[in-house]
Amino acid sequence: NHPNLPLRQKYRVLYMIHQAELFEKFLHTKYVGQKRFSLEGGETLIPILDAIVEKGPSLGVKEFILGMAHRGRLNVLANTLRKPFEEIFNEFEDMYLPESTRDGDGDVKYHMGFSADIKTNDGGSVHLSLAANPSHLEAVNPVVEGRVRAKQRKHGDTERGSGVPLLIHGDAAMAGQGIVMETMNLANLHGYRTGGTVHI
C-alpha cells in the first residue's frame, strides 16, 4: 500500500503534518497545565481531512458536517476549518467572544463547534461544520447524521450526495462504544439514509 503521490502533493502532506505539529508544540509551550486534548501522535489526521476536503467539491459535495470527540479538536479547528488563531487563543485566555460569533452553548473550548466556507486549490468551495458536542464523547454521531439528513431534505437532495457526514472516532470507539454501532444500524433504514458516511 504505497500510493504514488506527485511531489507537490507530498510537500502538501508534509506541510500539513508540520502545521499540526507546530500548533501542538505552541499550545504545550504557551498554555502549560491548561486542560486540552492534544492530537500528538495522530497528526496525520490533518492531511487526511485536507485530502477529503480538497476532493469533495469535484465530486459534487457542497458541505461536510464533522463530528469528533475532544482529542485533536483544537488542531482540526485551526488547520482544517481554519478558525482564526486569535479566537482559539482568546478562549485559552478566557477572553470569550460574543455569543453571536460562536457555535455551541458557551461550554468549554473543546466542546464548541465552528463552521466555515473553505476554498479548495482547484477553485472550488465547500462548507465545513464541526458539530458542538458534550462530554459524552461520541453522542455527537447521530446528531451529525441527523443534521446532514435534514439539510439534504431541505435542499431536495434525493441523490444524497451534496452533504456528507464525516465522523472521527477514537481508537477503540468502533468496538467499545455502543452509540457507534447504533448509529451504523440506522444506515439502511429508509428514513435515516444520508448516502454514506466517511469514518476516520
Side-chain angles (χ1 to χ4, degrees):
N1 185 17
H2 292 283
N4 188 20
L5 301 176
L7 187 60
R8 187 179 183 89
Q9 195 170 348
K10 287 180 180 178
Y11 279 132
R12 185 175 177 93
V13 169
L14 181 62
Y15 174 77
M16 299 302 292
I17 291 174
H18 184 63
Q19 288 293 100
E21 177 69 19
L22 277 178
F23 183 75
E24 293 298 340
K25 278 187 175 171
F26 177 82
L27 290 182
H28 185 69
T29 306
K30 175 80 173 157
Y31 300 106
V32 179
Q34 278 262 17
K35 190 171 185 181
R36 65 187 180 89
F37 296 87
S38 167
L39 185 61
E40 288 173 304
E43 290 88 356
T44 52
L45 174 65
I46 301 302
I48 290 169
L49 291 175
D50 179 63
I52 293 169
V53 169
E54 284 291 318
K55 186 74 174 169
S58 67
L59 299 173
V61 176
K62 295 184 176 138
E63 178 171 17
F64 286 102
I65 298 182
L66 289 77
M68 67 183 296
H70 307 332
R71 185 154 308 283
R73 188 178 193 86
L74 295 175
N75 212 309
V76 169
L77 283 167
N79 289 307
T80 302
L81 282 90
R82 300 176 194 158
K83 182 175 183 177
F85 290 118
E86 179 185 9
E87 289 185 31
I88 293 171
F89 300 146
N90 278 344
E91 288 160 11
F92 270 101
E93 304 283 350
D94 290 329
M95 296 167 56
Y96 287 103
L97 299 170
E99 191 68 38
S100 60
T101 64
R102 297 180 309 187
D103 181 13
D105 62 358
D107 207 344
V108 291
K109 58 188 159 287
Y110 40 84
H111 288 183
M112 286 194 259
F114 188 74
S115 63
D117 291 313
I118 303 295
K119 298 282 184 210
T120 57
N121 279 341
D122 62 3
S125 176
V126 66
H127 186 75
L128 300 182
S129 295
L130 178 63
N133 68 309
S135 290
H136 303 287
L137 298 176
E138 301 217 11
V140 75
N141 294 351
V143 173
V144 167
E145 299 290 345
R147 281 181 64 181
V148 170
R149 175 68 186 217
K151 289 191 176 204
Q152 289 171 344
R153 182 173 182 152
K154 180 180 176 184
H155 299 300
D157 178 17
T158 55
E159 298 297 313
R160 313 232 176 272
S162 64
V164 176
L166 198 161
L167 298 175
I168 301 161
H169 303 281
D171 55 2
M174 298 296 270
Q177 288 190 243
I179 196 161
V180 177
M181 295 313 295
E182 288 171 23
T183 303
M184 292 178 112
N185 285 335
L186 298 173
N188 290 320
L189 294 176
H190 182 71
Y192 295 88
R193 283 191 197 126
T194 59
T197 302
V198 177
H199 293 271
I200 300 174

